Amino acid sequence: MSGVRTRFAPSPTGHLHVGGARTALFNFLYARHHGGTFVLRIEDTDRERSTDESTRAILESMRWLGLDWDEGPYFQSQRTGLYLEHVERLLKEGKAYRCDCPPEVVEAKRQKALIEGRKPKYDGTCRARTDVDPSKPHVVRFKAPQTGTTVVPDLLKGEVVYDNEELDDLVILRTDGSPTYNFVVVVDDALMGITHVIRGDDHLNNTPRQIQLYQALGYPLPRFAHVPMILGPDKKRLSKRHGATSVEAYRDAGFLPEALVNFLARLGWSHGDQEIFSLQELIDLFDLDGVGRSASVFNEDKLLWLNAHYIKECPQDRLVDLVRPFLERKGYDTADRGKLAVLVEAFRPRCKTLAEFAEKATPYFVREIEVDPAAAKKHLKAAIAPVLADLLEAFRAVERWDVASLERAFLDVVEGKHALKIGKAAQPLRVAVTGTTVSPGIFETLVLVGREWALERIERALEMARARAAG
Ligand code: GLU
């Protein structure tokens, strides 16, 4: 184990979204690459917005992606004592102060400053006071340096310089006794020995305040790496407006975890022009020097392309396991694994998602099928009607509904009686039996569909072909 310690620190106020998942992945990969430790911390200090359900969903999504953590989950809600000790320490050392300015007065001053074009920061009324009654309602503010600059040394952005004059005397403890976000993050990152804070650059502006707190508390700074945001196709920051962005939604739409991981890694990180990476390859190759400096655009077509790739590559047994819940959700009977194995082999080259697979597999699980109109137009022509009629008769007569018997019956009719090439009859038969032009081998398809349904469908196709003759 090296000394590298990273963390993922989600607020459990909703599901794990693409942006959060990418942050988690980068921290995971960085820790794994350097033989370090990946810590999970649930930032549930906002009691009103945090839910156990969100925590559960986030952990489940991380497990599904394969981002296992080495430590935690820690819960900030269980660490209040530590935060309060740190507030006390700052108060005692004169680095924080109690402020009993009524909130409406603070707000009125803020508004006035805004109107007058000044920075709307707290005016420091209580900064030098020593007479604030601790038994009356008050907040605790950090005594931020008022002059000079605070430099954020960022591994991706370089040195970002902030004028201290611009920074407020941050509230670190609210009137209700709860510590605030920027404060607890610093206490936790310091106590948990986090060496690298890798997070979205929407947090960059919090960082100078956090650095001042580190300095006041006498804790060493971690390294910071603020990763550029993910944009939607319209180049605006990716959000719910762009449709489903939660990891769960992608799982439920039939994406494989390795496809999503591969996709997320490439959102902002690259290694030459390589596109396909296994998790192990990512661990071997990932480092911060591969992270780009500009925002990356979420391209769903690329995600579909990757997913199609991983569906093609997936070992048969696992693919069968993966498609099962998708079939079951549609109410299909999945007891016959052999049947599923044949179907996944037939359709995997043509499926971008597992949901698409379940769609394509429908004719093998439900009695009533729809015949694709384009396929019918092309293959169920008047001329094929006599062939279908003879096939129907021959199939009705087969004793055993198996590949060998069906093939024999088919060849007798098609080659023997009608002197047709196999393909000329196989494709119309396929359209008849599945409603589509793609299926496993035609005799296997007949077996999978079963005698009763197959005969029904050929009969119906025959009517369609005859109707064409009449029309
Ligand atoms: N809890 C914060 C969030 O979910 C992350 C804080 C951090 O990474 O420093 O946005």
Side-chain angles (χ1 to χ4, degrees), residues 215-398:
Q215 288 163 343
L217 290 166
Y219 288 134
L221 289 187
R223 309 257 190 150
F224 294 99
H226 286 94
V227 180
M229 291 282 91
I230 302 170
L231 306 179
D234 56 359
K235 307 279 155 66
K236 301 226 169 73
R237 197 180 146 181
L238 189 70
S239 73
K240 286 187 192 128
R241 278 181 304 114
H242 294 100
T245 58
S246 75
V247 168
E248 244 169 85
Y250 284 105
R251 183 195 63 193
D252 294 347
F255 287 86
L256 270 54
E258 56 267 47
L260 201 54
V261 162
N262 192 151
F263 178 73
L264 291 171
R266 286 285 293 105
L267 276 178
W269 175 83
S270 59
H271 178 74
D273 51 14
Q274 186 173 339
E275 287 293 353
I276 306 277
F277 298 90
S278 68
L279 189 60
Q280 189 55 51
E281 262 179 302
L282 289 173
I283 290 170
D284 293 343
L285 296 170
F286 186 86
D287 220 338
L288 291 173
D289 51 15
V291 177
R293 300 295 187 263
S294 49
S296 36
V297 177
F298 188 95
N299 175 350
E300 192 154 290
D301 286 339
K302 189 164 158 194
L303 175 55
L304 284 164
W305 174 78
L306 281 167
N307 205 47
H309 166 81
Y310 285 104
I311 287 176
K312 280 194 196 94
E313 301 276 294
C314 189
Q316 186 187 84
D317 241 17
R318 173 157 176 254
L319 192 53
V320 166
D321 287 336
L322 287 173
V323 299
R324 262 178 120 145
F326 287 83
L327 298 169
E328 277 158 14
R329 222 185 291 157
K330 284 172 161 286
Y332 302 165
D333 178 1
T334 60
D336 182 352
R337 270 190 88 87
K339 173 171 171 177
L340 301 189
V342 176
L343 292 174
V344 299
E345 292 314 326
F347 295 125
R348 71 156 93 210
R350 294 177 182 81
C351 287
K352 293 200 173 81
T353 66
L354 302 173
E356 202 182 331
F357 170 84
E359 212 40 64
K360 289 198 196 303
T362 294
Y364 305 85
F365 296 95
V366 298
R367 185 166 203 148
E368 292 294 328
I369 58 161
E370 279 171 39
V371 179
D372 168 26
K377 188 157 182 252
K378 180 152 179 226
H379 296 287
L380 299 181
K381 292 186 177 148
I384 204 70
V387 183
L388 284 179
D390 288 340
L391 282 174
L392 188 57
E393 199 180 321
F395 288 161
R396 275 191 181 131
V398 298

Side-chain angles (χ1 to χ4, degrees), residues 391 395 401-411 414 422 426 429-430 433 439-450:
L391 282 174
F395 288 161
W401 193 261
D402 58 22
V403 168
S405 315
L406 290 163
E407 184 168 9
R408 219 175 303 118
F410 176 88
L411 291 177
V414 174
I422 295 174
L429 184 58
R430 176 171 280 119
V433 175
S439 82
I442 185 64
F443 308 115
E444 212 160 19
T445 299
L446 287 163
V447 173
L448 287 179
V449 166

Side-chain angles (χ1 to χ4, degrees), residues 35-61:
T37 304
F38 176 48
V39 177
L40 178 60
R41 179 171 80 224
I42 304 296
E43 304 210 313
D44 57 350
T45 45
D46 184 343
R47 293 313 291 162
E48 262 164 38
R49 294 180 58 227
S50 301
T51 64
D52 291 345
E53 167 54 22
S54 297
T55 300
R56 194 201 52 72
I58 291 169
L59 299 194
E60 194 180 303
S61 290

